[in-house]
């Protein structure tokens, strides 16, 4: 009766095995994996640097900052201004000179004036404001008072205003230019930081996918071992050499390993999608539906820097630190300007003007030394027949000057904030370097231990298989020893993945991951390999 019960159990279990097996054929899955094209780390990094939209966005900040610098430098460019005008007037007069006035018919004389001017103005880095202008005008009138009609006038005027306290000096007046240059340098370091960060993220994701693929392979191998053991146990059961419980135990282990294969494949697909996201592979990209695999995880290496070597390199090379140093420099420029603004306003104003005058004589002046045409007025202006000069000192000081003093104190406090932020960033960088070294060192130790464990587990499994062939072991022990071998290999793959991710993190923390990978990158989205 018990024998019949065992046979019925087998008949029930075998169809279930037949249903599960076609979906999880380990050999077929491994064959599919082998057909996927290999994407090397170099190809992956190049693809990410070319396609990543966040990097393209950041790259645009450099030409934007460059144009901002040009705009600030243009503040000292000279300006040209010109104008032309025509004016007509008709005004009443009550004068009785020479019988003019009421009843004379000339109570509303008309005057027409035509003028034109052109001038250059320029601001100098010392704070000097200058303008040189030339103006000419001519007018005609019906008034009987004028001895010259038409009349021509020419003026040449030079105006200079030089601050002596507030607003004086090249350092003060080029503040916006120096800040713009500082911002341009900052944008370059910010971009470099984004490149290094993206490369580190891609490299980390690449190694995570490589690890997931390796674990998936081991899970497939584990399931294949269970299949082989099941086939052997069926033959033995048919021959009456083992009880049904050993077949059932194999089926249970196979179901468990099926679940592990599914979980490993799930993790592999998640890591693949994470890498695709960094590479900006979207639903419209042909690579979205294409499966690919990585190169095997690189082996361990011992030529890594010590903390004493890595930390100075990190503090000198990390672009985030350079960016914050420039931020402090920019704040010092603002402090100098704010301090200057607390001074009184003392300006020296100077004006030098030349003018010339000519016209055609009327009845009132039969003979005049000013008689001449338009060009005579220009000639007389050039000879300095008429001139004007002005020198003036102008002093302005707001009582209390609270606004300027408050702005000065604010900029000093803001510099203190930026200094604290810089010191905190240095501490963070040091922590990142230490963490990278710890990850590398401990992962290296784990790789070595896992390799020893794997070798011992493999030897034990081989010995137990020999005992099984001799009838001295059973399915339970074989499955257990198989699990030991697979878990040892997975531990080694995990430790090796951690090691390579640790190396990537360490060189990123040192600011040297681009050089390590032979990458030269600029804001024009060109990548080259220096190897």
């Amino acid at each position: 009766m018990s024998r019949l019960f065992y046979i019925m159990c087998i008949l029930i279990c075998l169809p279930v095995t037949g249903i599960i097996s076609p979906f999880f054929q380990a050999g077929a899955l491994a064959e599919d994996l082998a057909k996927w094209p290999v994407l090397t780390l170099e190809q992956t990094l190049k693809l990410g640097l070319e396609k990543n939209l966040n990097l393209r966005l950041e790259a645009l900040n450099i030409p934007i900052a460059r144009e901002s610098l040009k705009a600030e430098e243009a503040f000292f460019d000279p300006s040209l201004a010109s104008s032309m005008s025509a004016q007509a007037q008709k005004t009443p007069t009550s004068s009785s000179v020479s019988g003019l006035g009421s009843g004379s018919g000339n109570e509303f004389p008309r005057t027409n004036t035509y003028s034109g001017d052109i001038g250059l103005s320029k601001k100098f880095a010392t704070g000097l404001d200058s303008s040189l202008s030339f103006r000419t005008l001519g007018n005609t009138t019906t008034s009987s008072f004028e001895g010259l009609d038409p009349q021509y006038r020419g003026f040449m005027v030079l105006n200079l205003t030089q601050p002596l306290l507030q607003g004086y000096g090249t350092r003060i007046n080029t503040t916006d230019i120096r800040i713009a240059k500082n911002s341009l340098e900052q944008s370059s370091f910010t971009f470099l930081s984004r490149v290094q960060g993206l490369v580190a993220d891609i490299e980390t994701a690449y190694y995570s996918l490589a690890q997931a693929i390796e674990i998936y392979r081991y899970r497939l191998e584990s399931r294949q071992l269970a299949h082989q053991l099941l086939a052997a146990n069926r033959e033995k059961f048919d021959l009456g050499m083992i009880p049904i419980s050993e077949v059932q135990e194999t089926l249970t282990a196979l179901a468990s390993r099926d679940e592990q294969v599914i979980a490993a494949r799930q993790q592999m697909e998640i890591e693949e999608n994470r890498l695709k996201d960094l590479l900006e592979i979207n639903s419209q990209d042909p690579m979205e539906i294409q499966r690919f695999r990585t190169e095997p995880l690189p082996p361990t290496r011992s030529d890594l820097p010590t903390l004493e070597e890595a930390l100075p390199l990190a503090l000198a090379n990390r672009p985030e630190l350079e960016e914050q140093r420039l931020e402090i420099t920019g704040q010092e420029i603002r402090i100098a300007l704010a301090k200057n603004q607390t001074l009184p306003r003392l300006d020296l104003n100077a004006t030098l003007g030349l003018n010339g005058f000519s016209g055609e004589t009327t009845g009132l002046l039969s003979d005049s030394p000013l008689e001449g045409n338009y060009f005579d007025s220009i000639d007389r202006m050039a000879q300095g027949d008429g001139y004007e000069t002005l020198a003036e000192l102008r002093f302005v000081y707001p009582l209390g000057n609270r606004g300027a003093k408050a702005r000065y104190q604010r900029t000093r406090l803001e510099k203190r904030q930026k200094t604290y932020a810089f010191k905190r960033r240095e501490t963070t960088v040091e922590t990142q370097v230490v963490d990278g070294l710890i990850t590398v060192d401990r992962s290296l130790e784990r790789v070595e231990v896992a390799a020893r464990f794997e070798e011992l587990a493999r030897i034990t499994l081989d010995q137990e298989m020999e005992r099984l062939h001799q009838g001295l072991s059973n399915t339970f022990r074989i499955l257990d020893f198989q699990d030991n071998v697979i878990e040892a290999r997975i531990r080694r793959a995990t430790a090796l993945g951690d090691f390579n991710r640790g190396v990537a993190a360490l060189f990123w923390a040192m600011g040297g991951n681009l050089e390590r990978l032979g990458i030269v990158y600029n804001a024009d989205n060109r990548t080259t390999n220096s190897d």
Side-chain angles (χ1 to χ4, degrees), residues 203 207 299-301 304 436 439-440 497-510 513 516:
E203 189 179 6
Y207 292 142
T300 58
R301 47 185 288 192
L304 296 173
T439 301
V440 168
D498 288 345
F499 174 82
N500 283 285
R501 284 188 292 269
V503 172
L506 174 61
F507 278 89
W508 167 76
M510 292 166 52
N513 59 344
R516 178 177 68 90

Side-chain angles (χ1 to χ4, degrees), residues 83-98:
S83 65
M84 298 179 66
S85 65
Q87 181 182 21
Q89 288 181 304
K90 185 178 181 181
T91 55
T93 181
S94 60
S95 176
S96 59
V97 178
S98 303

Side-chain angles (χ1 to χ4, degrees), residues 349-380:
N349 299 320
T351 301
L352 173 63
L354 301 174
N355 61 76
F357 180 63
S358 66
E360 299 178 11
T361 57
T362 63
L364 292 178
L365 293 174
S366 58
D367 187 18
S368 171
L370 299 176
E371 183 177 11
N373 57 26
Y374 168 77
F375 294 102
D376 291 323
S377 68
I378 304 300
D379 183 59
R380 288 168 182 161

Side-chain angles (χ1 to χ4, degrees), residues 267-473:
Q267 187 61 35
M268 179 180 68
E269 291 170 348
I270 289 174
E271 296 297 345
E272 181 183 347
N273 286 333
R274 178 187 169 206
L275 183 57
K276 284 183 176 180
D277 178 65
L278 291 170
L279 302 182
E280 297 288 349
I281 298 175
N282 53 38
S283 57
Q284 286 76 40
D285 197 306
M287 289 191 68
E288 172 63 24
I289 58 175
Q290 178 181 343
R291 306 302 299 273
F292 59 86
R293 57 192 173 96
T294 65
E295 298 174 298
L297 284 167
T300 58
R301 47 185 288 192
S302 58
D303 57 333
L304 296 173
T306 63
L307 178 62
E308 292 73 18
E309 295 169 335
L311 190 55
L313 290 174
L315 296 178
N317 296 334
R318 277 291 287 272
E320 299 96 323
L321 294 178
E322 290 298 326
E323 181 185 352
Q324 290 199 306
R325 287 189 186 98
L326 289 169
E327 189 68 33
I328 295 173
T329 301
Q331 195 61 30
E332 290 172 348
I333 296 172
R334 295 183 182 93
I335 288 175
L337 175 63
K339 183 178 181 180
N340 178 265
Q341 297 302 301
T342 63
L343 298 174
R345 185 92 197 179
L346 179 63
D347 296 343
L348 173 62
N349 299 320
T351 301
L352 173 63
L354 301 174
N355 61 76
F357 180 63
S358 66
E360 299 178 11
T361 57
T362 63
L364 292 178
L365 293 174
S366 58
D367 187 18
S368 171
L370 299 176
E371 183 177 11
N373 57 26
Y374 168 77
F375 294 102
D376 291 323
S377 68
I378 304 300
D379 183 59
R380 288 168 182 161
M381 179 195 71
Q383 294 177 11
D385 288 351
Y387 67 89
E388 63 173 319
T389 59
L390 170 69
E392 173 191 37
L393 277 175
R394 188 168 184 270
F395 180 82
V396 178
Y397 185 73
L399 298 179
N401 202 21
R402 293 193 304 162
K405 291 178 179 178
R407 285 187 288 272
Y408 173 55
Q409 291 301 325
R410 184 184 66 193
T411 55
R412 294 180 63 195
L413 293 173
E414 288 171 347
K415 181 193 173 183
R416 190 180 302 175
Q417 282 183 323
K418 297 181 188 302
T419 302
Y420 291 155
F422 174 74
K423 295 296 183 183
R424 182 68 189 97
R425 173 61 69 176
E426 282 189 323
T427 302
T428 301
V429 167
E430 181 176 351
T431 301
Q432 290 168 342
V433 171
V434 172
D435 287 347
L437 285 169
I438 290 174
T439 301
V440 168
D441 292 341
R442 299 298 167 259
S443 298
L444 183 58
E445 294 172 0
R446 286 167 52 209
V447 169
E448 294 172 353
V449 171
R452 291 201 304 272
F453 178 35
E454 179 188 354
E455 180 63 19
L456 292 172
R458 186 188 60 79
I459 293 173
T460 303
L461 176 60
D462 290 344
Q463 292 172 345
E464 198 65 24
M465 289 296 294
E466 183 63 29
R467 285 169 52 82
L468 180 66
H469 293 153
Q470 297 173 5
L472 301 176
S473 185

Side-chain angles (χ1 to χ4, degrees), residues 468-499:
L468 180 66
H469 293 153
Q470 297 173 5
L472 301 176
S473 185
N474 56 49
T475 299
F476 308 97
R477 292 175 62 82
I478 295 299
L479 289 173
D480 189 41
F481 290 140
Q482 284 180 354
D483 285 338
N484 286 343
V485 171
I486 297 301
E487 291 303 322
R489 291 176 180 175
I490 289 176
R491 289 182 188 178
R492 181 173 57 81
T494 302
L496 191 56
D498 288 345
F499 174 82

Side-chain angles (χ1 to χ4, degrees), residues 257-273:
R257 293 180 186 185
D258 281 342
E259 187 273 335
Q260 291 173 338
V261 168
I262 295 172
R265 183 157 188 152
Q266 172 185 310
Q267 187 61 35
M268 179 180 68
E269 291 170 348
I270 289 174
E271 296 297 345
E272 181 183 347
N273 286 333

